[in-house]
Amino acid sequence: EDQVTQSPEALRLQEGESSSLNCSYTVSGLRGLFWYRQDPGKGPEFLFTLYSAGEEKEKERLKATLTKKESFLHITAPKPEDSATYLCAVQGGSQGNLIFGKGTKLSVKP
Amino acid sequence: DGGITQSPKYLFRKEGQNVTLSCEQNLNHDAMYWYRQDPGQGLRLIYYSQIVNDFQKGDIAEGYSVSREKKESFPLTVTSAQKNPTAFYLCASRGAGGIGNQPQHFGDGTRLSIL
């Protein structure tokens, strides 16, 4: 059964304190791993797609990496505006359906 | 601007009442999806549609119904058979281009509560 586990559930950082969020997955035939950001009361906002082990993508202070079993979202020198819930999802079938993790709630204090 | 519009933002349902949530997209996407989000849980798939006039059940379709008469529109009806409808409902769409590896893009959700 396809499964996605995100850790930690919550992460509190001081502004400028770099850290990483983890997404472990089990899927038969990975077609893509997706990272989203979700602000309270809003829909998820697409950040990155990773397709194969070793791939990396960057956007501002965020960098996503992928291995055969997990993905990391590295946050370098975070700012308070990076506070949000970060969702990871995998797609393993041809229908385009995603399996989501429960998310990591990030809080960055000034 | 292209995007996905969900309405209303807040919706209240009385006992025994059916309610319909609207989802419209102007991205020219073929595929559309409905998810339910509960606190502490991941998004769960209710229904999806890959093409007009066709749709499939997701993991938690019981108590819900959909239609796909137009490419731009994918309304979700929460029926009285859904005994625990209080949740945040999210609509998404995905374009073609590669087999199933384009990202899904989301609307800003409808929060449904019971009166």
Side-chain angles (χ1 to χ4, degrees), chain A residues 30 50-56 66-67:
Chain A
L30 180 70
L50 300 167
Y51 296 107
S52 57
E55 188 175 2
E56 298 182 352
L66 181 65
T67 72

Side-chain angles (χ1 to χ4, degrees), chain A residues 31 34 36 38 41-44 46 49 51 87 91 94-98 100-102, chain B residues 9 33 35 37 40 42-43 45 48 50 88 90 94 99-101 103-104 106-108:
Chain A
R31 303 186 70 91
F34 303 84
Y36 289 87
Q38 186 175 23
K42 299 286 189 179
F46 170 69
T49 308
Y51 296 107
L87 303 176
Q91 182 203 334
S94 62
Q95 296 295 319
N97 296 348
L98 299 180
F100 280 85
K102 295 180 180 181
Chain B
K9 188 171 179 66
Y33 305 82
Y35 293 90
Q37 188 174 36
L43 275 67
L45 183 64
Y48 64 101
Q50 303 279 25
F88 190 49
L90 288 161
R94 180 177 63 84
I99 299 178
N101 54 10
Q104 294 182 17
F106 288 81
D108 274 341

Side-chain angles (χ1 to χ4, degrees), chain B residues 3-16:
Chain B
I4 301 168
T5 301
Q6 291 188 241
S7 62
K9 188 171 179 66
Y10 300 96
L11 186 59
F12 298 91
R13 196 192 88 169
K14 296 179 181 178
E15 291 289 337

Side-chain angles (χ1 to χ4, degrees), chain A residues 8-9 11 24 27 30 49 53 59 62 64-66 85 90 101:
Chain A
E9 290 184 12
L11 181 62
S24 298
V27 64
L30 180 70
T49 308
K59 180 180 180 180
L62 300 177
T65 62
L66 181 65
T85 296
V90 298

